Amino acid sequence: MFGVLLIHHLRAIIKMPNWWRKILPGGGLNLMPTLVLGLYLTGQLSLPVGLGLLVVTLGFFLISWGYLYRIFVDGLNGTETLELPGWKDWRVYSQAGLWLFLIVLGYFFATVVGLSALISILGITPDTQSTEDIGVLSFVLLLTLVFFYGFFPIVFMRFAAEGRVWAAFEPGPVWRDIKRIVRGEYIQTCFGLFGLSLLGNLVLSLIPYAGVVLASNFWFLMMVVFARIFGLMIRASLLPKEPPPSMN
């Protein structure tokens, strides 16, 4: 089922006139902070300049998040076809992206605390040289990443429904939504997003010079497709179930 949805939405995008004009800006906005961070880590930018450029390019990154959020909300609302909106509403996108960033930041800090406690319980030190410990740590981080691929759409839905950032952190409603939404197909979609993103970025990044640009645009295209899929899946899970037909 996941494969059918993926192919369906990819074909729908490619059939749109000039669809690449909507995808390329998103890929470029996502690429900017990555390039700045890479230049700083390689010593080509000083700390003040690097931090300043990183803050500016992070703003561009948030615009792309807001764009994806728009597509996600269209899926939640059950729009009949996938549409790629224009980029003229960048102020709206940047505001939405900022709220999403705050939600992610809150859960990031909570995750760091939780993982630190788990690693301490397992007796793994950050500078471990044990192959077994490194394998366990990598597996835990992998599962955490896949978990968040499915978790964030749910809390973003809470934010979209309530219009409040704090709604994404309310344990009771979030837990009830998780129990209603997370099923086999949803989990399959989470692993599919992780696998396609990882494989595509690894392969494209090997291409000299243009590889990073291609990988960034591929990632954004995948996020557009999955924003739509997650929106539709969550909507279908939360809709009231129709009663069985009467036998009378």
Side-chain angles (χ1 to χ4, degrees), residues 119-177:
I119 290 173
S120 178
I121 293 173
L122 295 175
I124 301 175
T125 58
D127 58 346
T128 180
Q129 300 297 320
S130 170
T131 304
E132 182 179 350
D133 286 349
I134 293 175
V136 172
L137 183 58
S138 300
F139 182 70
V140 170
L141 293 176
L142 173 64
L143 288 182
T144 302
L145 185 59
V146 174
F147 168 78
F148 276 129
Y149 272 134
F151 179 74
F152 280 128
I154 296 175
V155 295
F156 291 164
M157 180 275 299
R158 295 299 314 162
F159 167 64
E162 301 290 339
R164 299 178 295 111
V165 171
W166 181 247
F169 296 94
E170 295 176 339
V174 170
W175 177 242
R176 287 195 296 270
D177 289 336

Side-chain angles (χ1 to χ4, degrees), residues 10-27:
L10 279 175
R11 291 179 62 185
I13 291 176
I14 295 174
K15 287 182 179 179
M16 295 179 185
N18 299 320
W19 60 272
W20 49 273
R21 292 185 178 179
K22 307 290 180 64
I23 299 299
L24 291 181

Side-chain angles (χ1 to χ4, degrees), residues 9-10 23 26 29 34-35 37 42 49 55 71-72 76 85 94 98 101 109 120 123 138 176 180 185 205 230:
H9 290 299
L10 279 175
I23 299 299
L29 292 174
T34 303
L35 289 178
L37 184 61
T42 56
V49 174
V55 170
I71 295 174
F72 173 68
L76 289 177
S94 62
L98 176 61
F101 177 74
F109 283 119
S120 178
S138 300
R176 287 195 296 270
R180 295 176 64 183
E185 185 179 359
S205 296
F230 276 124

Side-chain angles (χ1 to χ4, degrees), residues 51-73:
L51 286 179
L53 289 176
L54 191 61
V55 170
V56 173
T57 54
L58 181 61
F60 296 147
F61 183 72
L62 296 182
I63 294 174
S64 71
W65 272 26
Y67 185 93
L68 295 171
Y69 179 70
R70 159 70 187 277
I71 295 174
F72 173 68
V73 171

